[in-house]
Amino acid sequence: MTGIENAQHDLNDAQFSLETAIDLLSSINDDCCSEESELYNVIQHLMTIKNELATSFDQLRNVQTQIEH
């Protein structure tokens, strides 16, 4: 596995971990809080980070394609 592939694997794992945390926190938020709660803000921030990781994953895939050609 190349360094880029290792990084992609790590980014994918991080996305999965964030998704798990988001699901858990969303469930807690649905049970006790509102959309104005601090917990809701944390969930939104984690979703932003997850999307940024997905963008980075795609960018690395493009870099890997460029390197291979």
Side-chain angles (χ1 to χ4, degrees):
M1 214 183 258
T2 68
I4 290 177
E5 289 171 333
N6 283 332
Q8 286 176 306
H9 180 74
D10 291 345
L11 288 172
N12 200 32
D13 286 349
Q15 288 179 71
F16 179 75
S17 293
L18 280 171
E19 187 172 334
T20 301
I22 290 166
D23 289 345
L24 175 62
L25 294 173
S26 292
S27 177
I28 293 168
N29 190 61
D30 290 345
D31 290 343
C32 73
C33 307
S34 69
E35 288 192 5
E36 291 90 33
S37 72
E38 191 169 342
L39 180 55
Y40 179 79
N41 292 334
V42 169
I43 294 165
Q44 293 303 306
H45 184 70
L46 292 175
M47 290 172 73
T48 299
I49 294 169
K50 182 178 173 274
N51 290 334
E52 290 172 356
L53 288 173
T55 299
S56 295
F57 181 89
D58 292 339
Q59 289 172 331
L60 280 177
R61 184 176 16 194
N62 291 338
V63 168
Q64 184 177 19
T65 300
Q66 291 172 3
I67 290 171
E68 290 174 349
H69 292 97

